[in-house]
Amino acid sequence: MDIISRYILAITGASGMPYALKLIQELKKNSDLELHVIISNAARSILPMECQEWEKIIKLADYAYNQNQLSAPMASGSWLHQGMVVCPCSMATLAAIAAGFGNNLIHRAADVCLKENRSLILVPRETPLNAIHLQNMLRVQQAGAVILPPSPGFYHQPRTIDDLIGYIVNRIMDHLGIESNIVTRWGSI
């Protein structure tokens, strides 16, 4: 049986929408990949503030859901997929995942990833961090998630904001196991 390469991207209500939108564009360069996007209510407020063409980019996804669609496939562990990214990941979402709350589709899908030992990558976009944020990050990391803050490197000599965003998206794709060469890698310079 061939398993479809399925990935989930959850977009929550934190600043950093360009990371999510660039990730959609890069993932959809692979025509064999099925992308499911979940957009939180708060993200719907922030998306138009940070990107005028967000609706056009979201349409690249194969499927789009809102946070209240708890009957969506990714709410069940029997629905196979290769991983989930929460980008940007708000501190409220991080706290809900750390506490095991499944009160919306994003929280439930992340919980499924942890219980099924599937890849879960959280891209927390907050600064500075308080002790509660750090403890929640440690809890989800110990449960199996990858914490990938959007902290770009500079060895690839970025010239644009898109270069900085591309660096983080490249790292996310590395952790999903999807080849990407958005930026020049260390040692290739």
Side-chain angles (χ1 to χ4, degrees):
M1 172 173 78
D2 291 331
I3 296 175
I4 296 170
S5 291
R6 290 185 182 130
Y7 294 88
I8 304 164
L9 169 61
I11 304 172
T12 69
S15 183
M17 298 303 163
Y19 294 111
L21 299 174
K22 175 85 170 173
L23 183 58
I24 290 170
Q25 292 170 320
E26 291 299 322
L27 288 171
K28 287 313 295 175
K29 285 181 180 178
N30 182 340
S31 61
D32 296 333
L33 184 146
E34 188 177 285
L35 180 60
H36 296 254
V37 174
I38 310 167
I39 306 171
S40 76
N41 296 342
R44 288 191 184 279
S45 299
I46 296 170
L47 274 161
M49 290 182 215
E50 296 191 0
C51 182
Q52 293 177 0
E53 296 188 6
W54 72 273
E55 291 174 301
K56 178 180 164 187
I57 296 169
I58 295 289
K59 287 181 182 175
L60 295 174
D62 298 291
Y63 300 92
Y65 309 87
N66 69 54
Q67 71 179 37
N68 300 318
Q69 290 179 263
L70 285 166
S71 62
M74 66 280 305
S76 171
S78 67
W79 186 75
L80 298 177
H81 64 88
Q82 285 63 48
M84 177 177 180
V85 178
V86 182
C87 177
C89 182
S90 68
M91 290 300 114
T93 297
L94 175 69
I97 295 168
F101 291 143
N103 59 344
N104 73 32
L105 182 58
I106 294 170
H107 307 157
R108 174 63 187 156
D111 187 57
V112 166
C113 287
L114 294 175
K115 81 180 186 72
E116 299 291 337
N117 292 316
R118 295 194 185 122
S119 180
L120 175 62
I121 301 165
L122 306 180
V123 183
R125 226 303 304 140
E126 185 66 65
T127 191
L129 300 168
N130 67 37
I132 296 168
H133 300 152
L134 295 168
Q135 289 168 353
N136 285 337
M137 285 183 203
L138 180 60
R139 287 176 71 189
V140 296
Q141 191 278 333
Q142 289 173 334
V146 171
I147 305 297
L148 200 152
S151 304
F154 292 90
Y155 57 81
H156 66 290
Q157 300 179 358
R159 303 210 186 304
T160 66
I161 291 172
D162 195 56
D163 291 342
L164 296 170
I165 293 166
Y167 178 90
I168 297 303
V169 169
N170 203 83
R171 296 294 290 145
I172 293 168
M173 292 180 70
D174 285 349
H175 281 274
L176 287 173
I178 300 170
E179 188 164 339
S180 174
N181 292 306
I182 302 167
V183 298
T184 304
R185 293 178 183 277
W186 180 258
S188 301
I189 299 172

